[in-house]
């Protein structure tokens, strides 16, 4: 895509949808804002934008045309190409996989590897004949293939070797980024008062347990697994256990699964007071089926909230490194998770306090806050190098 000759270069940030509480969306806002602070104009191409628009951002909503998701995506890209031809930009930065990007922020795992894992034998051959597969496979290859010129901002050290095994992506096109959580996620000095106020508001007694789950995509995050595990608890323990889920997804299926829990099970749409929930909860549980990173895991650790997580999550290693909870080994077995959750809820007050203290200590020394700055540095360096070429 074309370079702008203006004295105030325009960076085009591209993502299919923006809503205020998504992890990818929050990363995009923070990275784009730093680029803006450094003198760039910010244009955003998206199908839809929910929430406030930051001052100075030029949000261009692309018409949604096409019957299938992949037809909509192709029309999305064609429309942007035509718009950029009339309104040139200095650089394109994508947050979804697609052809023609100068920079791609790798928030998702490898689609091709996932297909190979899930669809084997005749099922795999049949699946690969479909339009959906051909579209997403082609878009991924356009970003990661050997012939691509897209520079990749990778946030998961688990996914990097997978992409390189599948596509042979050279190291020179990859920048590894550290995690980048906001410092307001750290446990505040008045955390005890926040906890007391929160639990009073939601009528949770001191001797009851609150399990917290945070993240959109409830099936992927393992909400059904958590509901099954809570249902399997001994009756006395189950009666004193609450499960709160925060995220954007269709909740009806999960509400039906947990109907017998009554008010002890609640689903909240995306919220901007997650730190308050983390101070009020006893554990974050995250039995995800797959997760490129899992920023919420780090946010819980630095908040002093002990974590139980499956080892398929990219940031699960930080839970182990901080000694701030438990990491469940693959393969996932529901019965084993049920037992682990019961044991977690029966841990001593001293063990819970130790996990909390370890997480807070980790927050004071770990390099986990500067990802947006490193990403912006790379984007600007790529633009400068293109200008000099």
């Amino acid at each position: 895509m074309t370079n702008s000759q203006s004295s105030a270069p325009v960076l085009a940030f591209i993502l299919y949808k923006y809503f205020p509480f998504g992890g990818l969306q929050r990363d995009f806002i923070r990275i784009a804002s730093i680029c803006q602070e450094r003198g760039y104009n910010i244009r955003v191409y998206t199908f839809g934008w929910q929430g406030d628009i930051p001052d100075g951002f030029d949000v261009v909503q692309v018409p949604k045309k096409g019957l299938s998701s992949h037809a909509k995506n192709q029309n999305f890209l064609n429309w942007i190409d035509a718009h950029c031809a009339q309104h040139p930009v200095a650089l394109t930065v994508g947050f979804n996989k697609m052809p023609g990007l100068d920079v791609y922020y790798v928030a998702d795992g490898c689609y091709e590897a996932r297909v190979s894992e899930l669809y084997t034998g005749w099922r795999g051959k049949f699946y690969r004949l479909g339009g959906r597969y051909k579209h997403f496979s082609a878009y991924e290859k356009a970003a990661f293939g050997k012939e691509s010129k897209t520079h990749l901002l990778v946030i998961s050290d688990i996914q990097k070797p997978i992409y390189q095994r599948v596509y042979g992506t050279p190291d020179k096109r990859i920048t590894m980024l550290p995690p980048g959580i906001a410092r307001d996620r750290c446990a505040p000095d008045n955390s005890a008062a926040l906890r007391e106020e929160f639990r009073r508001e939601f009528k949770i007694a001191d001797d009851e347990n609150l399990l917290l789950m945070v993240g959109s995509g409830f099936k992927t995050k393992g909400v059904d697994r958590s509901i099954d595990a809570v249902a399997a608890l001994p009756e006395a323990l189950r009666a004193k256990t609450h499960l709160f889920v925060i995220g954007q997804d269709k909740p009806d299926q999960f509400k039906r699964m947990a109907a017998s829990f009554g008010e002890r099970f609640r689903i909240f749409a995306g919220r901007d007071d997650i730190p308050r929930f983390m101070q009020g909860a006893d554990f974050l549980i995250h039995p995800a089926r797959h997760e490129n990173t899992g920023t919420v895991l780090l946010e819980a650790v630095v908040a002093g909230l002990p974590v139980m997580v499956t080892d398929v999550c990219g940031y699960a290693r930080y839970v182990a490194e901080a000694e701030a909870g438990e990491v469940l080994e693959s393969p996932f077995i529901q019965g084993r998770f049920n037992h682990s959750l019961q044991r977690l809820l029966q841990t001593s007050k001293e063990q819970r306090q130790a996990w909390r203290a370890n997480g807070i200590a980790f927050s004071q020394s770990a390099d986990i806050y500067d990802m947006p700055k490193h990403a912006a540095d790379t984007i600007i360096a790529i633009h400068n190098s293109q200008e000099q070429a």
Side-chain angles (χ1 to χ4, degrees):
M1 297 184 185
T2 57
N3 286 339
S4 170
Q5 301 300 318
S6 82
S7 58
V10 177
L11 298 180
F13 286 81
I14 304 173
L15 68 166
Y16 289 134
K17 59 181 178 180
Y18 174 82
F19 53 97
F21 306 112
L24 177 151
Q25 287 77 9
R26 286 189 288 131
D27 290 346
F28 144 69
I29 285 287
R30 294 164 67 198
I31 294 167
S33 295
I34 293 173
C35 292
Q36 183 185 50
E37 290 169 2
R38 297 185 184 178
Y40 287 83
N41 290 324
I42 305 301
R43 186 188 304 163
V44 183
Y45 291 105
T46 183
F47 276 135
W49 184 287
Q50 298 177 22
D52 297 334
I53 297 175
D55 290 342
F57 278 33
D58 175 21
V59 175
V60 180
Q61 296 205 31
V62 179
K64 188 178 288 188
K65 296 180 180 180
L67 297 178
S68 64
S69 60
H70 46 275
K72 291 183 177 71
N73 293 348
Q74 184 61 61
N75 290 329
F76 178 81
L77 186 60
N78 292 342
W79 194 96
I80 292 172
D81 282 342
H83 192 270
C84 286
Q86 296 296 319
H87 309 277
V89 299
L91 209 68
T92 55
V93 183
F95 285 73
N96 301 102
K97 299 167 187 171
M98 60 189 69
L101 296 172
D102 294 304
V103 181
Y104 169 52
Y105 179 83
V106 187
D108 295 322
C110 181
Y111 174 72
E112 188 67 47
R114 187 77 178 153
V115 168
S116 298
E117 175 187 338
L118 293 177
Y119 300 98
T120 58
W122 67 267
R123 291 181 70 242
K125 292 179 181 179
F126 182 77
Y127 183 81
R128 285 175 172 81
L129 294 175
R132 175 183 173 83
Y133 167 76
K134 291 178 180 178
H135 168 79
F136 287 106
S137 178
Y139 270 37
E140 183 169 271
K141 186 176 181 180
F144 291 89
K146 288 182 180 179
E147 304 305 316
S148 173
K149 295 182 180 179
T150 301
H151 193 87
L152 305 163
L153 303 178
V154 178
I155 56 177
S156 171
D157 52 9
I158 290 178
Q159 286 297 319
K160 179 187 175 185
I162 295 175
Y163 276 115
Q164 291 189 305
R165 171 174 56 80
V166 174
Y167 294 106
T169 314
D171 281 334
K172 66 181 181 180
R173 283 182 32 228
I174 296 175
T175 295
M176 289 298 304
L177 298 176
I181 66 171
R183 292 183 184 272
D184 66 3
R185 266 33 184 181
C186 294
D189 294 338
N190 65 335
S191 56
L194 288 175
R195 176 181 174 84
E196 181 179 345
E197 178 186 344
F198 178 92
R199 292 173 80 93
R200 183 169 59 250
E201 176 184 341
F202 289 98
K203 298 179 174 59
I204 301 172
D206 289 341
D207 64 344
E208 294 182 322
N209 292 295
L210 172 56
L211 303 173
L212 180 64
M213 298 190 70
V214 180
S216 300
F218 293 162
K219 185 77 171 180
T220 299
K221 300 301 191 260
V223 172
D224 56 321
R225 292 173 167 180
S226 297
I227 293 171
D228 286 344
V230 171
L233 292 171
E235 183 176 354
L237 184 57
R238 185 173 67 251
K240 290 195 171 188
T241 300
H242 300 253
L243 174 60
F244 285 5
V245 180
I246 303 174
Q248 290 195 334
D249 203 344
K250 297 178 180 179
D252 291 350
Q253 170 192 351
F254 304 97
K255 288 181 177 179
R256 287 193 297 269
M257 288 182 65
S260 65
F261 297 1
E263 288 299 312
R264 290 181 289 107
F265 176 76
R266 297 185 63 173
I267 293 180
F268 303 84
R271 300 176 64 106
D272 57 8
D273 60 348
I274 300 296
R276 192 169 71 97
F277 277 76
M278 288 190 171
Q279 294 308 316
D282 295 288
F283 299 99
L284 179 89
I285 56 173
H286 200 80
R289 288 173 165 83
H290 56 89
E291 181 82 78
N292 191 30
T293 52
T295 302
V296 69
L297 304 175
L298 269 173
E299 291 178 339
V301 167
V302 303
L305 179 62
V307 177
M308 175 174 277
V309 59
T310 46
D311 64 359
V312 298
C313 301
Y315 285 171
R317 69 181 183 89
Y318 290 106
V319 176
E321 181 181 333
E323 297 183 2
E326 296 189 3
V327 178
L328 304 173
E329 294 182 357
S330 296
F332 179 87
I333 300 171
Q334 185 68 48
R336 188 167 63 186
F337 176 52
N338 297 353
H339 176 75
S340 296
L341 181 63
Q342 178 179 338
R343 178 172 43 79
L344 186 77
L345 293 172
Q346 293 173 330
T347 52
S348 67
K349 183 178 181 180
E350 290 74 21
Q351 177 61 72
R352 298 184 188 196
Q353 289 175 337
W355 280 329
R356 176 177 174 81
N358 290 345
I360 292 173
F362 180 80
S363 74
Q364 296 167 352
S365 60
D367 179 17
I368 54 174
Y369 303 104
D370 295 329
M371 179 277 290
K373 175 182 177 297
H374 290 300
D377 288 344
T378 303
I379 291 167
I380 292 169
I382 291 171
H383 170 240
N384 290 338
S385 67
Q386 290 190 1
E387 289 286 289
Q388 295 167 6

